[in-house]
Amino acid sequence: MLVNSKVLLEDAMKHNYAVAGINTTSLTMLRAVLKAAEEEGTPVILSHAQLHEPYAPIELMGPLMKAAAEKSTVPCSLHLDHGTTEAYIYKALSLGFTSVMADFARFSFEENVERTKKVADVCHEIHVTVEGEYGEMPSNVTGQGRALPEGESLEFFFTKPDKAARYVEQTGVDSLVVSFGSVHGIYIEEPKMDYERLGAIREAVPNTPLVMHGGSGLNEEDTRTCIDGGIRKINYYTYMACEPSKKLVQFISSSGKPPYFHEICEYSRELMKEKARYAIKLFQNRG
């Protein structure tokens, strides 16, 4: 069933777990994620990122995602991940998305607040959940994102607890993406998580669900520590999306004939389903 993500996040707050927010950039991946969630009997947030537009146009993927969510046996939210322009965010709203991320973290704090509040005001009028971001993740240390300024440490991008409280109060966002050590993309070095900072942020905004991006590369202990520290939604994509490439050469070479593309998709779907299932189960924080 299609629901507003606020409902899912409120339950996660109450029961100390994190909802998986998984990007689905194809029908194959969409089916994999939904099957994993249904097998676990667990709600999931189906996400579409603006940066995926060149190969997964929202006008095509949005209706597919919505139809699949409506037919699902578990609660599903339809979420726009990293909406970086107002026009794209409003396009997602017109397609029936029930949750959006207003990603204006690249601007100054003041402009981030101003732009996010305008989006939040529009979304709340139609009962759509808004995820805001204060703090960023760099690219030239590990992962993807804006480059770290020369002479600065990784902490340059981290969320400051006092400003996080101001940001939430002034924008009215329903959830907050925070930066304290995780990164987007492939981890090329072991992440160093600032759990003391996470605790301070949680104290500053105790009633706001916290969101962590870059959930693919963290080990189980770090993931559970983040959840116990207040993280209520974890974005997951890279490690699932990369899983088929590890085994496709062997699959194709052992098939005895050139496989049809739909056979490749089906093989990939099963691999990605298991990765999604692993993440969904881990994020439930059941020990």
Side-chain angles (χ1 to χ4, degrees), residues 4 9 12 21 32 40-41 64 88 100 121 142 150 158 161 191 211 235 260 284:
N4 188 301
L9 296 176
E40 287 300 314
L64 285 176
Y88 200 86
V100 301
D121 288 345
T142 180
E150 186 176 353
F158 285 1
V211 178
N235 282 23
Y260 287 101
Q284 285 293 295

XYZ file of all heavy atoms in Angstrom, residues 4 9 12 21 32 40-41 64 88 100 121 142 150 158 161 191 211 235 260 284:
155
model
N 2.321 7.755 3.326
C 3.221 8.879 3.554
C 4.379 8.401 4.430
O 4.164 7.684 5.406
C 2.445 9.999 4.254
C 3.225 11.292 4.362
O 4.292 11.321 4.943
N 2.675 12.346 3.794
N 8.287 6.737 9.522
C 9.331 7.281 10.379
C 8.868 7.398 11.827
O 9.655 7.193 12.761
C 9.786 8.642 9.858
C 10.450 8.631 8.484
C 10.770 10.058 8.028
C 11.720 7.787 8.493
N 9.239 4.039 13.307
C 10.662 3.762 13.537
C 11.162 4.483 14.787
O 11.974 3.938 15.547
C 11.472 4.184 12.311
N 15.575 3.249 2.757
C 15.218 4.069 1.605
C 16.080 3.638 0.436
O 17.284 3.919 0.418
N 12.876 -6.170 -7.410
C 13.783 -6.789 -6.440
C 13.555 -6.226 -5.038
O 13.452 -6.978 -4.060
C 15.233 -6.566 -6.868
N 10.219 -9.995 3.883
C 10.532 -9.661 5.275
C 9.317 -9.113 6.019
O 9.361 -8.940 7.230
C 11.669 -8.634 5.332
C 13.037 -9.206 4.993
C 13.456 -10.314 5.931
O 13.299 -10.141 7.166
O 13.923 -11.359 5.452
N 8.242 -8.811 5.280
C 7.057 -8.228 5.900
C 7.344 -6.880 6.518
O 6.819 -6.543 7.587
N 5.433 3.828 -12.545
C 5.708 2.418 -12.268
C 5.877 2.183 -10.766
O 5.323 1.233 -10.207
C 6.980 1.973 -13.000
C 6.899 1.745 -14.504
C 8.285 1.415 -15.054
C 5.925 0.618 -14.829
N 12.029 20.287 -10.301
C 12.026 18.822 -10.296
C 11.228 18.285 -9.108
O 10.505 17.290 -9.224
C 13.462 18.293 -10.252
C 13.595 16.862 -10.711
C 13.739 16.551 -12.055
C 13.565 15.812 -9.799
C 13.864 15.238 -12.490
C 13.688 14.495 -10.215
C 13.836 14.215 -11.564
O 13.950 12.909 -11.977
N 9.484 13.935 -0.311
C 10.543 14.523 -1.133
C 11.701 14.966 -0.254
O 11.508 15.363 0.897
C 10.050 15.737 -1.961
C 8.912 15.349 -2.889
C 9.641 16.895 -1.061
N 6.496 24.324 2.807
C 5.172 24.937 2.888
C 4.231 24.378 1.815
O 3.057 24.091 2.077
C 5.293 26.453 2.735
C 5.904 27.126 3.967
O 5.965 26.468 5.025
O 6.308 28.299 3.862
N 36.409 10.127 0.060
C 35.798 8.873 -0.354
C 34.359 9.145 -0.733
O 33.768 10.106 -0.267
C 35.872 7.811 0.773
O 35.277 6.609 0.343
C 35.174 8.281 2.017
N 40.483 22.893 0.158
C 41.896 22.699 0.477
C 42.188 23.155 1.900
O 41.786 24.241 2.324
C 42.767 23.493 -0.506
C 44.255 23.240 -0.331
C 45.093 23.961 -1.376
O 44.501 24.551 -2.306
O 46.329 23.928 -1.250
N 30.485 18.196 8.296
C 29.613 17.581 9.294
C 28.535 18.549 9.788
O 28.717 19.764 9.836
C 30.431 17.083 10.482
C 31.205 15.824 10.207
C 31.171 15.214 8.971
C 31.985 15.254 11.202
C 31.889 14.046 8.717
C 32.700 14.089 10.970
C 32.655 13.495 9.727
N 25.295 20.606 15.563
C 24.061 20.416 16.325
C 23.247 21.692 16.533
O 22.019 21.677 16.384
C 24.554 19.851 17.662
C 25.827 19.145 17.304
C 26.461 20.003 16.240
N 35.204 4.109 7.054
C 34.585 5.339 7.569
C 34.858 5.541 9.048
O 34.951 4.573 9.817
C 33.093 5.104 7.311
C 32.945 3.618 7.300
C 34.216 3.100 6.680
N 18.168 11.081 9.368
C 18.393 10.271 8.175
C 19.885 10.178 7.885
O 20.597 11.182 7.966
C 17.663 10.882 6.956
C 17.942 10.067 5.698
C 16.172 10.977 7.224
N 19.595 5.410 3.728
C 19.601 5.258 2.272
C 20.557 4.140 1.873
O 21.685 4.055 2.390
C 20.025 6.561 1.608
C 18.901 7.578 1.577
O 17.972 7.515 2.373
N 18.987 8.521 0.666
N 19.309 -14.133 -23.394
C 18.433 -13.003 -23.658
C 18.635 -11.949 -22.556
O 18.986 -12.280 -21.423
C 16.966 -13.437 -23.656
C 16.548 -14.238 -24.859
C 16.423 -15.623 -24.782
C 16.265 -13.605 -26.071
C 16.030 -16.369 -25.874
C 15.869 -14.349 -27.177
C 15.760 -15.729 -27.070
O 15.361 -16.453 -28.166
N 16.226 -3.154 10.595
C 15.168 -3.375 11.584
C 15.716 -3.427 13.006
O 14.968 -3.314 13.975
C 14.412 -4.669 11.261
C 13.456 -4.547 10.095
C 12.287 -3.634 10.408
O 11.461 -3.943 11.275
N 12.219 -2.521 9.719
